[in-house]
Amino acid sequence: GAVVSQHPSWVICKSGTSVKIECRSLDFQATTMFWYRQFPKQSLMLMATSNEGSKATYEQGVEKDKFLINHASLTLSTLTVTSAHPEDSSFYICSATISSGANVLTFGAGSRLTVL
Amino acid sequence: GDSVTQMEGPVTLSEEAFLTINCTYTATGYPSLFWYVQYPGEGLQLLLKATKADDKGSNKGFEATYRKETTSFHLEKGSVQVSDSAVYFCALSAQNTGFQKLVFGTGTRLLVSP
């Protein structure tokens, strides 16, 4: 079946540094990828939708200059948290869909970011 | 806006017990409804779904029925196993978003003991 891989699975960084998280579709081409964020004991919140070759669409309240999303190929999307602060510490999850009309998504295992 | 409310956990059961995890939703139109399961160290996996009122989604002994009159999509299983221990997420995707954007509940952790 479809597999989505996220890397790294966990990362610790110092405040003010930038961190990149990769999301790869291993055995299918993902026209659309989604990035979610999950705080402890809260829902997964959609941050942005990225389509291959075009700019990401961010949800209301998500800073696009802080959370840079790139979807340069049909198998890779990256999320870069720039100038990270402790409040950015969270669990980041990506998902991918094989076509724009599908309503079934494949999720990565998530990446836990801790900013010191 | 659209939202999903599910019961807080953890839910602790003995093996072979009956499971119900409640889920209610708020949405305009006719959303699709989903249950996702997340096992430790793995990504969310689709467990079952229903796309219209009165549909019943089922998989691996789990069932949920799309009840529009009560805006609910409760997850049930007649006899749980230790291997069912995981976090379960109820979610919807709204008709007006092209059914792609998922709105999740907070997740309910299920712990099944032998």
Side-chain angles (χ1 to χ4, degrees):
Chain A
V3 177
V4 170
S5 172
Q6 270 187 253
H7 178 80
S9 56
W10 59 272
V11 57
I12 301 172
C13 70
K14 292 182 178 180
S15 185
T17 60
S18 295
V19 174
K20 180 184 287 187
I21 299 170
E22 293 185 346
C23 177
R24 293 182 184 271
S25 56
L26 297 186
D27 50 3
F28 67 100
Q29 294 186 325
T31 56
T32 305
M33 289 185 172
F34 302 86
W35 286 95
Y36 293 83
R37 181 176 183 179
Q38 184 181 27
F39 291 105
K41 299 185 179 180
Q42 295 187 27
S43 303
L44 282 76
M45 301 298 295
L46 180 64
M47 299 174 66
T49 303
S50 73
N51 292 293
E52 185 265 338
S54 61
K55 290 185 178 180
T57 302
Y58 290 81
E59 295 300 301
Q60 191 173 8
V62 178
E63 299 175 62
K64 62 182 179 182
D65 293 331
K66 180 165 188 62
F67 299 100
L68 300 179
I69 292 172
N70 183 278
H71 192 162
S73 78
L74 284 171
T75 59
L76 175 64
S77 176
T78 59
L79 166 67
T80 301
V81 183
T82 62
S83 187
H85 289 95
E87 57 267 28
D88 298 325
S89 299
S90 188
F91 196 55
Y92 294 89
I93 301 171
C94 74
S95 67
T97 183
I98 195 167
S99 68
S100 60
N103 68 347
V104 176
L105 304 176
T106 302
F107 283 80
S111 300
R112 183 165 300 285
L113 169 63
T114 300
V115 184
L116 302 177
Chain B
D2 299 338
S3 66
V4 174
T5 302
Q6 60 182 108
M7 57 192 295
E8 285 193 32
V11 173
T12 304
L13 296 172
S14 298
E15 203 165 25
E16 298 184 2
F18 184 85
L19 168 71
T20 300
I21 300 178
N22 290 337
C23 171
T24 57
Y25 68 90
T26 301
T28 55
Y30 299 91
S32 292
L33 302 175
F34 306 84
W35 277 100
Y36 280 84
V37 58
Q38 185 175 31
Y39 299 103
E42 299 183 17
L44 277 74
Q45 302 172 23
L46 179 65
L47 180 60
L48 53 85
K49 67 175 182 178
T51 58
K52 62 182 187 295
D54 299 325
D55 266 3
K56 177 185 285 188
S58 62
N59 185 25
K60 299 181 181 179
F62 291 90
E63 292 183 341
T65 302
Y66 189 142
R67 301 286 188 199
K68 188 156 181 68
E69 63 276 14
T70 54
T71 62
S72 65
F73 193 55
H74 304 322
L75 181 68
E76 296 182 336
K77 186 175 185 182
S79 177
V80 294
Q81 305 300 312
V82 172
S83 57
D84 293 328
S85 298
V87 181
Y88 293 82
F89 292 90
C90 185
L92 68 82
S93 62
Q95 189 176 16
N96 62 2
T97 65
F99 294 113
Q100 286 219 303
K101 294 184 179 180
L102 288 173
V103 176
F104 285 90
T106 53
T108 301
R109 182 174 298 277
L110 170 65
L111 300 171
V112 181
S113 56

